[in-house]
Coordinates of all heavy atoms in Angstrom, one line a residue:
R250 N 8.7 17.0 53.4 CA 10.0 16.5 53.4 C 10.2 15.6 52.2 O 11.3 15.6 51.6 CB 10.1 15.7 54.7 CG 11.5 15.3 55.0 CD 11.7 14.7 56.4 NE 10.6 14.7 57.2 CZ 10.5 14.1 58.4 NH1 11.6 13.5 58.8 NH2 9.4 14.1 59.1
H251 N 9.3 14.8 51.9 CA 9.4 13.9 50.7 C 9.5 14.6 49.4 O 10.3 14.2 48.5 CB 8.2 12.9 50.7 CG 8.2 12.0 51.8 ND1 8.6 10.7 51.8 CD2 7.7 12.2 53.1 CE1 8.5 10.1 53.0 NE2 7.9 11.0 53.8
T252 N 8.8 15.7 49.3 CA 8.9 16.5 48.1 C 10.2 17.1 47.9 O 10.8 17.1 46.7 CB 7.8 17.6 48.1 OG1 6.5 17.0 48.3 CG2 7.8 18.4 46.8
I253 N 10.8 17.6 48.9 CA 12.2 18.2 48.7 C 13.2 17.2 48.4 O 14.1 17.5 47.6 CB 12.6 19.1 50.0 CG1 13.7 20.1 49.6 CG2 13.0 18.2 51.1 CD1 13.8 21.2 50.5
V254 N 13.1 16.0 48.9 CA 14.0 14.9 48.6 C 13.9 14.6 47.1 O 14.8 14.4 46.4 CB 13.8 13.7 49.5 CG1 14.6 12.5 49.0 CG2 14.2 14.0 50.9
R255 N 12.6 14.5 46.6 CA 12.4 14.1 45.2 C 12.9 15.2 44.3 O 13.5 14.9 43.3 CB 10.9 13.9 45.0 CG 10.4 12.6 45.7 CD 8.9 12.5 45.5 NE 8.4 11.2 46.0 CZ 7.6 11.1 47.1 NH1 7.1 12.2 47.7 NH2 7.3 10.0 47.5
L256 N 12.7 16.5 44.7 CA 13.1 17.6 43.8 C 14.7 17.7 43.8 O 15.3 17.9 42.8 CB 12.6 18.9 44.3 CG 11.1 19.1 44.1 CD1 10.6 20.4 44.8 CD2 10.8 19.2 42.6
M257 N 15.3 17.4 45.0 CA 16.8 17.4 45.0 C 17.3 16.3 44.2 O 18.3 16.5 43.5 CB 17.3 17.3 46.5 CG 17.1 18.6 47.3 SD 18.0 20.0 46.6 CE 19.7 19.6 47.1
S258 N 16.7 15.1 44.2 CA 17.2 14.0 43.4 C 17.1 14.3 42.0 O 18.0 14.1 41.2 CB 16.3 12.8 43.8 OG 16.6 11.7 42.9
L259 N 15.9 14.9 41.6 CA 15.7 15.3 40.2 C 16.7 16.4 39.7 O 17.2 16.3 38.6 CB 14.3 15.7 40.0 CG 13.8 16.0 38.6 CD1 14.0 14.7 37.7 CD2 12.3 16.4 38.6
C260 N 17.0 17.3 40.6 CA 17.9 18.4 40.3 C 19.3 17.9 40.1 O 20.0 18.2 39.2 CB 17.9 19.4 41.5 SG 18.8 20.9 41.1
H261 N 19.8 17.0 41.0 CA 21.1 16.4 40.9 C 21.2 15.6 39.6 O 22.2 15.7 38.9 CB 21.4 15.5 42.1 CG 21.7 16.3 43.3 ND1 22.7 16.0 44.2 CD2 21.2 17.4 43.8 CE1 22.8 16.9 45.2 NE2 21.8 17.7 45.0
A262 N 20.2 14.7 39.3 CA 20.3 13.9 38.1 C 20.3 14.8 36.8 O 21.0 14.6 35.9 CB 19.1 13.0 38.1
S263 N 19.5 15.9 36.9 CA 19.4 16.8 35.7 C 20.7 17.5 35.5 O 21.2 17.7 34.4 CB 18.3 17.8 35.9 OG 17.0 17.2 36.0
A264 N 21.4 17.9 36.6 CA 22.7 18.6 36.5 C 23.7 17.6 35.9 O 24.5 18.0 35.0 CB 23.1 19.1 37.8
L265 N 23.7 16.4 36.4 CA 24.7 15.4 35.9 C 24.4 15.1 34.4 O 25.4 15.0 33.6 CB 24.6 14.1 36.7 CG 25.2 14.2 38.1 CD1 24.9 12.9 38.9 CD2 26.7 14.4 38.0
E266 N 23.1 15.0 34.0 CA 22.8 14.8 32.6 C 23.3 15.9 31.7 O 23.8 15.7 30.7 CB 21.3 14.6 32.4 CG 20.8 13.3 33.0 CD 19.3 13.3 33.2 OE1 18.6 14.3 32.8 OE2 18.7 12.4 33.8
E267 N 23.1 17.1 32.3 CA 23.5 18.3 31.5 C 25.0 18.4 31.3 O 25.5 18.7 30.2 CB 23.0 19.6 32.3 CG 23.2 20.9 31.5 CD 22.6 22.0 32.3 OE1 21.5 22.0 32.8 OE2 23.3 23.0 32.4
I268 N 25.8 18.2 32.3 CA 27.2 18.3 32.2 C 27.9 17.1 31.4 O 28.9 17.3 30.8 CB 28.0 18.5 33.5 CG1 27.8 17.4 34.5 CG2 27.5 19.8 34.2 CD1 28.6 17.4 35.7
S269 N 27.2 16.0 31.4 CA 27.7 14.8 30.8 C 27.3 14.7 29.3 O 27.9 14.0 28.5 CB 27.3 13.5 31.5 OG 26.0 13.3 31.3
G270 N 26.2 15.5 29.0 CA 25.7 15.5 27.6 C 24.9 14.2 27.3 O 24.8 13.9 26.1
M271 N 24.4 13.5 28.3 CA 23.7 12.3 28.1 C 22.3 12.6 27.5 O 21.7 13.6 27.8 CB 23.5 11.6 29.5 CG 24.7 11.1 30.2 SD 24.4 10.4 31.8 CE 23.3 9.1 31.4
D272 N 21.9 11.7 26.6 CA 20.6 11.8 26.1 C 19.5 11.1 26.9 O 18.3 11.4 26.9 CB 20.5 11.2 24.7 CG 21.3 12.0 23.7 OD1 21.4 13.3 23.9 OD2 21.8 11.5 22.7
S273 N 19.9 10.1 27.7 CA 19.0 9.3 28.5 C 18.9 10.0 29.9 O 19.8 10.8 30.3 CB 19.5 7.9 28.7 OG 20.7 7.9 29.3
E274 N 17.8 9.7 30.6 CA 17.6 10.2 31.9 C 18.2 9.3 33.0 O 18.0 8.1 32.9 CB 16.1 10.5 32.2 CG 15.6 11.6 31.4 CD 14.1 11.9 31.7 OE1 13.6 11.4 32.8 OE2 13.5 12.7 31.0
L275 N 18.8 9.9 34.0 CA 19.3 9.1 35.1 C 18.2 8.8 36.1 O 17.1 9.4 36.1 CB 20.4 9.9 35.9 CG 21.7 10.2 35.2 CD1 22.6 11.1 36.0 CD2 22.4 8.9 34.9
E276 N 18.4 7.7 36.8 CA 17.3 7.3 37.8 C 17.2 8.3 38.9 O 18.3 8.8 39.4 CB 17.7 5.9 38.3 CG 16.6 5.3 39.1 CD 16.9 3.8 39.5 OE1 17.7 3.2 38.8 OE2 16.4 3.4 40.5
T277 N 16.0 8.6 39.4 CA 15.8 9.5 40.5 C 14.9 8.9 41.5 O 14.3 7.8 41.3 CB 15.2 10.9 40.0 OG1 13.9 10.5 39.4 CG2 16.0 11.6 39.0
I278 N 14.8 9.6 42.6 CA 13.9 9.0 43.7 C 12.5 9.4 43.5 O 12.1 10.6 43.5 CB 14.4 9.6 45.1 CG1 15.8 9.2 45.4 CG2 13.4 9.2 46.2 CD1 16.4 9.8 46.6
D279 N 11.7 8.4 43.1 CA 10.2 8.5 43.0 C 9.7 9.8 42.4 O 8.9 10.5 43.1 CB 9.6 8.2 44.4 CG 8.1 8.0 44.3 OD1 7.6 7.6 43.2 OD2 7.4 8.2 45.3
T280 N 10.0 10.1 41.2 CA 9.5 11.3 40.6 C 8.0 11.3 40.5 O 7.3 12.3 40.5 CB 10.1 11.5 39.2 OG1 11.5 11.5 39.3 CG2 9.7 12.8 38.5
A281 N 7.4 10.0 40.3 CA 6.0 9.9 40.3 C 5.3 10.4 41.5 O 4.1 10.6 41.5 CB 5.6 8.4 40.0
G282 N 6.0 10.5 42.6 CA 5.5 11.0 43.9 C 5.2 12.5 43.9 O 4.6 13.0 44.8
L283 N 5.7 13.2 42.9 CA 5.5 14.6 42.8 C 4.1 14.9 42.3 O 3.6 14.1 41.4 CB 6.5 15.3 41.9 CG 8.0 15.3 42.5 CD1 8.9 15.7 41.4 CD2 8.1 16.2 43.7
D284 N 3.4 15.9 42.7 CA 2.1 16.2 42.2 C 2.1 16.6 40.7 O 3.1 17.1 40.2 CB 1.3 17.1 43.1 CG 1.9 18.5 43.1 OD1 2.9 18.8 42.4 OD2 1.4 19.4 43.9
F285 N 0.9 16.5 40.1 CA 0.8 16.8 38.7 C 1.1 18.2 38.4 O 1.7 18.5 37.4 CB -0.7 16.4 38.3 CG -0.9 16.7 36.8 CD1 -0.4 15.9 35.8 CD2 -1.6 17.9 36.4 CE1 -0.7 16.2 34.5 CE2 -1.9 18.2 35.1 CZ -1.4 17.3 34.1
G286 N 0.7 19.1 39.3 CA 1.0 20.6 39.0 C 2.5 20.9 39.0 O 2.9 21.7 38.1
T287 N 3.2 20.3 39.9 CA 4.7 20.5 39.9 C 5.3 19.9 38.6 O 6.1 20.6 38.0 CB 5.3 19.8 41.1 OG1 4.7 20.3 42.3 CG2 6.8 20.0 41.2
L288 N 5.0 18.7 38.2 CA 5.5 18.1 37.0 C 5.1 18.9 35.8 O 5.9 19.1 34.9 CB 5.1 16.7 36.9 CG 5.7 15.7 38.0 CD1 5.0 14.4 37.9 CD2 7.2 15.7 37.9
S289 N 3.9 19.4 35.7 CA 3.4 20.2 34.6 C 4.1 21.5 34.5 O 4.5 21.9 33.4 CB 1.9 20.5 34.7 OG 1.2 19.3 34.6
F290 N 4.3 22.2 35.7 CA 5.1 23.4 35.7 C 6.5 23.2 35.2 O 7.0 24.0 34.4 CB 5.1 24.0 37.1 CG 5.9 25.2 37.3 CD1 5.4 26.4 36.9 CD2 7.2 25.2 37.9 CE1 6.1 27.6 37.0 CE2 7.9 26.4 38.0 CZ 7.4 27.6 37.6
L291 N 7.2 22.2 35.6 CA 8.5 21.9 35.2 C 8.6 21.6 33.7 O 9.4 22.2 33.0 CB 9.1 20.7 36.0 CG 10.5 20.2 35.7 CD1 11.5 21.3 35.9 CD2 10.8 19.0 36.5
R292 N 7.7 20.8 33.2 CA 7.7 20.4 31.8 C 7.4 21.7 31.0 O 8.0 21.9 29.9 CB 6.6 19.4 31.5 CG 6.6 18.8 30.1 CD 5.6 17.7 29.9 NE 5.9 16.6 30.9 CZ 5.1 16.2 31.9 NH1 4.0 16.8 32.1 NH2 5.5 15.2 32.7
E293 N 6.4 22.5 31.4 CA 6.1 23.7 30.6 C 7.3 24.7 30.6 O 7.6 25.3 29.6 CB 4.9 24.4 31.3 CG 4.4 25.7 30.5 CD 3.2 26.3 31.2 OE1 2.6 25.7 32.1 OE2 2.9 27.4 30.8
C294 N 7.9 24.9 31.7 CA 9.1 25.8 31.8 C 10.2 25.4 30.9 O 10.8 26.2 30.2 CB 9.6 25.9 33.2 SG 8.6 26.9 34.3
V295 N 10.4 24.1 30.8 CA 11.5 23.6 30.0 C 11.2 23.5 28.5 O 11.9 24.0 27.6 CB 12.0 22.2 30.5 CG1 13.0 21.6 29.6 CG2 12.6 22.3 31.9
E296 N 10.0 22.9 28.2 CA 9.6 22.6 26.8 C 9.0 23.9 26.1 O 9.3 24.1 25.0 CB 8.7 21.5 26.7 CG 9.3 20.2 27.2 CD 8.3 19.0 27.2 OE1 7.2 19.2 26.8 OE2 8.8 17.9 27.6
V297 N 8.2 24.6 26.8 CA 7.5 25.7 26.2 C 8.4 27.0 26.2 O 8.5 27.7 25.2 CB 6.1 26.0 26.9 CG1 5.5 27.3 26.3 CG2 5.2 24.8 26.7
Y298 N 9.0 27.3 27.4 CA 9.7 28.6 27.5 C 11.2 28.4 27.4 O 11.9 29.4 27.3 CB 9.4 29.2 28.9 CG 7.9 29.5 29.0 CD1 7.1 28.8 29.8 CD2 7.3 30.6 28.3 CE1 5.7 29.1 29.9 CE2 6.0 30.9 28.3 CZ 5.2 30.1 29.2 OH 3.9 30.4 29.3
G299 N 11.7 27.2 27.3 CA 13.1 26.9 27.1 C 14.0 27.3 28.3 O 15.2 27.5 28.1
F300 N 13.4 27.2 29.5 CA 14.2 27.5 30.7 C 15.1 26.3 31.0 O 14.8 25.2 30.6 CB 13.4 27.8 31.9 CG 12.6 29.0 31.8 CD1 11.3 29.1 32.5 CD2 13.0 30.1 31.1 CE1 10.6 30.3 32.4 CE2 12.3 31.3 31.1 CZ 11.0 31.4 31.7
N301 N 16.2 26.5 31.7 CA 17.1 25.5 32.1 C 16.4 24.7 33.2 O 15.9 25.2 34.2 CB 18.4 26.1 32.6 CG 19.4 25.0 33.0 OD1 19.3 24.5 34.1 ND2 20.4 24.8 32.2
K302 N 16.4 23.3 33.0 CA 15.7 22.5 34.0 C 16.3 22.6 35.4 O 15.5 22.6 36.4 CB 15.8 21.0 33.5 CG 15.0 20.0 34.2 CD 15.0 18.7 33.6 CE 14.1 17.7 34.2 NZ 14.2 16.4 33.6
V303 N 17.6 22.6 35.5 CA 18.2 22.7 36.9 C 17.8 24.0 37.5 O 17.6 24.0 38.7 CB 19.7 22.5 36.8 CG1 20.4 22.6 38.1 CG2 20.1 21.2 36.1
E304 N 17.8 25.1 36.8 CA 17.4 26.4 37.4 C 16.0 26.4 37.9 O 15.7 26.9 38.9 CB 17.6 27.5 36.4 CG 19.1 27.9 36.1 CD 19.2 29.0 35.1 OE1 18.2 29.6 34.7 OE2 20.4 29.3 34.7
V305 N 15.1 25.8 37.1 CA 13.7 25.7 37.5 C 13.6 24.8 38.7 O 12.8 25.2 39.7 CB 12.8 25.1 36.3 CG1 11.4 24.9 36.8 CG2 12.8 26.0 35.1
L306 N 14.3 23.7 38.8 CA 14.2 22.9 40.0 C 14.8 23.6 41.2 O 14.2 23.5 42.3 CB 15.0 21.6 39.7 CG 14.3 20.6 38.8 CD1 15.2 19.6 38.3 CD2 13.1 20.0 39.5
L307 N 15.9 24.3 41.0 CA 16.4 25.1 42.2 C 15.4 26.1 42.7 O 15.2 26.3 43.9 CB 17.7 25.8 41.7 CG 18.4 26.6 42.8 CD1 18.8 25.7 44.0 CD2 19.7 27.3 42.2
H308 N 14.7 26.8 41.7 CA 13.6 27.7 42.1 C 12.5 27.0 42.9 O 12.0 27.5 43.9 CB 13.1 28.4 40.9 CG 11.8 29.2 41.1 ND1 11.9 30.4 41.8 CD2 10.5 28.9 40.9 CE1 10.6 30.9 41.9 NE2 9.8 30.0 41.4
L309 N 12.1 25.8 42.4 CA 11.1 25.1 43.1 C 11.5 24.7 44.5 O 10.7 24.8 45.5 CB 10.7 23.8 42.3 CG 9.9 24.0 41.0 CD1 9.8 22.7 40.2 CD2 8.5 24.6 41.3
I310 N 12.7 24.3 44.7 CA 13.3 23.9 46.0 C 13.3 25.1 46.9 O 12.9 25.0 48.1 CB 14.7 23.3 45.8 CG1 14.6 21.9 45.1 CG2 15.4 23.2 47.2 CD1 15.9 21.4 44.6
Q311 N 13.8 26.2 46.4 CA 13.8 27.5 47.2 C 12.4 27.9 47.6 O 12.2 28.4 48.7 CB 14.6 28.6 46.5 CG 16.1 28.3 46.4 CD 16.8 29.3 45.6 OE1 16.2 30.1 44.8 NE2 18.1 29.4 45.8
S312 N 11.5 27.8 46.7 CA 10.1 28.2 47.0 C 9.5 27.3 48.0 O 8.7 27.7 48.9 CB 9.2 28.1 45.7 OG 9.7 29.0 44.7
L313 N 9.8 26.0 47.9 CA 9.3 25.0 48.9 C 9.8 25.3 50.3 O 9.1 25.3 51.3 CB 9.6 23.6 48.5 CG 9.1 22.5 49.3 CD1 7.6 22.5 49.3 CD2 9.6 21.2 48.8
I314 N 11.1 25.6 50.4 CA 11.8 26.0 51.7 C 11.1 27.3 52.2 O 10.8 27.3 53.4 CB 13.3 26.2 51.5 CG1 13.9 24.8 51.2 CG2 13.9 26.8 52.8 CD1 15.4 24.9 50.8
T315 N 10.9 28.3 51.4 CA 10.3 29.5 51.8 C 8.9 29.3 52.3 O 8.5 29.8 53.4 CB 10.3 30.6 50.7 OG1 11.7 30.8 50.3 CG2 9.7 31.9 51.1
H316 N 8.1 28.5 51.6 CA 6.8 28.2 52.0 C 6.7 27.5 53.4 O 5.9 27.8 54.2 CB 6.1 27.4 50.9 CG 4.7 27.0 51.3 ND1 3.6 27.9 51.3 CD2 4.1 25.8 51.7 CE1 2.5 27.3 51.6 NE2 2.8 26.1 51.9
A317 N 7.6 26.5 53.5 CA 7.7 25.8 54.8 C 8.1 26.7 56.0 O 7.5 26.6 57.1 CB 8.7 24.6 54.7
H318 N 8.9 27.6 55.7 CA 9.3 28.6 56.7 C 8.2 29.5 57.1 O 7.9 29.8 58.3 CB 10.6 29.4 56.3 CG 11.1 30.3 57.3 ND1 10.7 31.7 57.4 CD2 11.9 30.1 58.4 CE1 11.3 32.2 58.4 NE2 12.0 31.3 59.1
D319 N 7.5 30.0 56.1 CA 6.3 30.9 56.3 C 5.2 30.2 57.0 O 4.5 30.8 57.8 CB 5.8 31.5 55.0 CG 6.7 32.5 54.3 OD1 7.7 32.9 55.0 OD2 6.6 32.7 53.1
E320 N 5.0 28.9 56.8 CA 3.9 28.2 57.5 C 4.3 27.7 58.9 O 3.5 27.1 59.5 CB 3.6 26.9 56.6 CG 2.9 27.3 55.3 CD 1.6 28.0 55.4 OE1 0.8 27.5 56.2 OE2 1.4 29.0 54.8
G321 N 5.6 27.9 59.3 CA 6.0 27.5 60.6 C 6.5 26.1 60.6 O 6.7 25.5 61.7
L322 N 6.6 25.4 59.5 CA 7.0 24.0 59.5 C 8.5 23.9 59.6 O 9.1 22.9 60.1 CB 6.6 23.3 58.2 CG 5.1 23.3 57.9 CD1 4.9 22.8 56.5 CD2 4.5 22.4 58.9
L323 N 9.2 25.0 59.2 CA 10.7 25.0 59.3 C 11.1 26.2 60.2 O 11.0 27.3 59.7 CB 11.2 25.2 57.8 CG 12.7 25.2 57.6 CD1 13.3 23.8 58.0 CD2 13.0 25.4 56.2
C324 N 11.4 25.9 61.4 CA 11.6 27.0 62.4 C 13.1 27.1 62.6 O 13.7 26.4 63.4 CB 11.0 26.6 63.7 SG 9.2 26.5 63.6
V325 N 13.7 27.9 61.7 CA 15.2 28.2 61.8 C 15.4 29.7 61.8 O 14.6 30.5 61.2 CB 16.0 27.5 60.7 CG1 15.9 26.0 60.8 CG2 15.5 28.0 59.4
P326 N 16.4 30.2 62.5 CA 16.7 31.7 62.4 C 17.0 32.1 61.0 O 17.6 31.4 60.2 CB 17.9 31.8 63.4 CG 18.0 30.6 64.2 CD 17.3 29.5 63.3
P327 N 16.7 33.4 60.7 CA 17.0 33.9 59.4 C 18.4 33.8 58.9 O 18.7 33.4 57.7 CB 16.6 35.4 59.5 CG 15.5 35.4 60.5 CD 15.9 34.3 61.5
P328 N 19.4 34.0 59.7 CA 20.8 33.8 59.2 C 21.1 32.4 58.7 O 21.8 32.2 57.8 CB 21.7 34.1 60.4 CG 20.8 34.9 61.3 CD 19.4 34.4 61.1
I329 N 20.5 31.4 59.4 CA 20.8 30.0 59.0 C 20.0 29.7 57.7 O 20.5 29.1 56.8 CB 20.4 29.0 60.1 CG1 21.3 29.2 61.3 CG2 20.4 27.6 59.6 CD1 21.0 28.4 62.5
L330 N 18.8 30.2 57.6 CA 18.0 30.0 56.4 C 18.6 30.7 55.2 O 18.7 30.1 54.1 CB 16.6 30.6 56.6 CG 15.6 30.3 55.5 CD1 15.4 28.8 55.4 CD2 14.2 30.9 55.8
S331 N 19.2 31.9 55.4 CA 19.9 32.5 54.3 C 21.1 31.7 53.8 O 21.5 31.7 52.7 CB 20.3 34.0 54.6 OG 21.3 34.0 55.6
R332 N 21.7 31.1 54.8 CA 22.9 30.2 54.5 C 22.5 29.0 53.6 O 23.2 28.6 52.7 CB 23.6 29.8 55.8 CG 24.8 29.0 55.6 CD 25.9 29.9 55.0 NE 27.2 29.2 55.0 CZ 28.3 29.8 55.0 NH1 28.4 31.1 54.8 NH2 29.4 29.2 55.0
V333 N 21.3 28.5 53.9 CA 20.8 27.4 53.1 C 20.6 27.8 51.6 O 21.0 27.1 50.7 CB 19.4 26.9 53.6 CG1 18.7 25.9 52.7 CG2 19.6 26.3 55.0
F334 N 20.0 29.0 51.4 CA 19.9 29.5 50.0 C 21.2 29.8 49.4 O 21.4 29.5 48.2 CB 19.0 30.8 50.0 CG 17.6 30.5 50.4 CD1 17.0 31.2 51.4 CD2 16.8 29.6 49.7 CE1 15.7 31.0 51.8 CE2 15.5 29.4 50.1 CZ 14.9 30.1 51.1
Q335 N 22.1 30.3 50.2 CA 23.5 30.6 49.7 C 24.2 29.3 49.2 O 24.8 29.3 48.2 CB 24.2 31.4 50.7 CG 25.6 31.9 50.3 CD 26.3 32.6 51.4 OE1 26.2 32.2 52.6 NE2 26.9 33.7 51.1
T336 N 24.1 28.3 50.1 CA 24.8 27.0 49.8 C 24.2 26.4 48.5 O 24.9 25.9 47.6 CB 24.7 26.1 51.0 OG1 25.3 26.7 52.1 CG2 25.4 24.8 50.7
A337 N 22.8 26.4 48.4 CA 22.2 25.8 47.2 C 22.6 26.6 46.0 O 22.9 26.0 44.9 CB 20.7 25.9 47.4
S338 N 22.6 27.9 46.0 CA 23.1 28.7 44.9 C 24.5 28.4 44.5 O 24.8 28.3 43.3 CB 22.8 30.2 45.1 OG 21.5 30.4 45.3
R339 N 25.4 28.3 45.5 CA 26.8 28.0 45.2 C 26.9 26.6 44.5 O 27.8 26.5 43.7 CB 27.6 28.0 46.5 CG 28.0 29.4 46.9 CD 29.2 29.3 47.9 NE 29.3 30.5 48.5 CZ 29.6 30.7 49.8 NH1 29.7 29.7 50.6 NH2 29.8 31.9 50.3
G340 N 26.1 25.7 45.0 CA 26.2 24.4 44.4 C 25.8 24.4 42.9 O 26.4 23.7 42.1
Y341 N 24.9 25.3 42.6 CA 24.5 25.4 41.2 C 25.6 26.1 40.3 O 25.9 25.7 39.2 CB 23.2 26.2 41.1 CG 22.8 26.5 39.6 CD1 22.3 25.5 38.8 CD2 23.0 27.8 39.1 CE1 22.0 25.7 37.5 CE2 22.7 28.0 37.7 CZ 22.2 27.0 37.0 OH 21.9 27.2 35.7
V342 N 26.2 27.1 40.9 CA 27.2 27.9 40.2 C 28.4 27.1 39.9 O 29.0 27.0 38.9 CB 27.5 29.2 40.9 CG1 28.7 29.9 40.3 CG2 26.3 30.1 40.9
N343 N 28.8 26.3 41.0 CA 30.1 25.5 40.9 C 29.8 24.2 40.3 O 30.6 23.5 39.9 CB 30.7 25.4 42.3 CG 31.2 26.7 42.8 OD1 31.6 27.6 42.1 ND2 31.1 26.8 44.2

């Protein structure tokens, strides 16, 4: 639960930075609370491969939701889960 909140905070801040053209980073919720592997993956995708930071974060969020569902931590019917992915994607597009 804490990881998804941190990733969403980072995603929102990154999207705002991107559309505003800001050079500085906005404040986010405890990015240091994310594990080293996640931060390394994000940094590598953006700096080495040139991927869009918001797209990578959206992918990480969707992967986390899928993993939680597969592990039984998130018990929701498939139609509702698909709506979560649809809403997240629409937020990115709009």
Side-chain angles (χ1 to χ4, degrees):
R250 189 172 359 174
H251 294 260
T252 302
I253 199 160
V254 169
R255 290 177 177 115
L256 288 175
M257 287 299 284
S258 174
L259 189 56
C260 188
H261 285 221
S263 298
L265 287 172
E266 291 164 6
E267 187 177 311
I268 62 173
S269 71
M271 295 175 61
D272 288 334
S273 61
E274 291 186 10
L275 294 173
E276 191 173 333
T277 59
I278 298 173
D279 192 24
T280 307
L283 294 170
D284 66 3
F285 179 75
T287 300
L288 293 173
S289 295
F290 176 77
L291 179 60
R292 189 173 301 112
E293 182 180 351
C294 286
V295 173
E296 294 175 3
V297 175
Y298 298 108
F300 295 149
N301 181 283
K302 188 175 184 179
V303 178
E304 289 180 5
V305 174
L306 286 163
L307 182 60
H308 169 74
L309 287 171
I310 291 165
Q311 290 176 340
S312 296
L313 185 63
I314 292 169
T315 302
H316 179 72
H318 185 263
D319 289 346
E320 294 294 315
L322 299 172
L323 186 62
C324 300
V325 296
I329 294 173
L330 189 59
S331 69
R332 186 66 172 200
V333 169
F334 292 125
Q335 187 179 40
T336 302
S338 296
R339 275 196 196 144
Y341 174 73
V342 171
N343 294 328

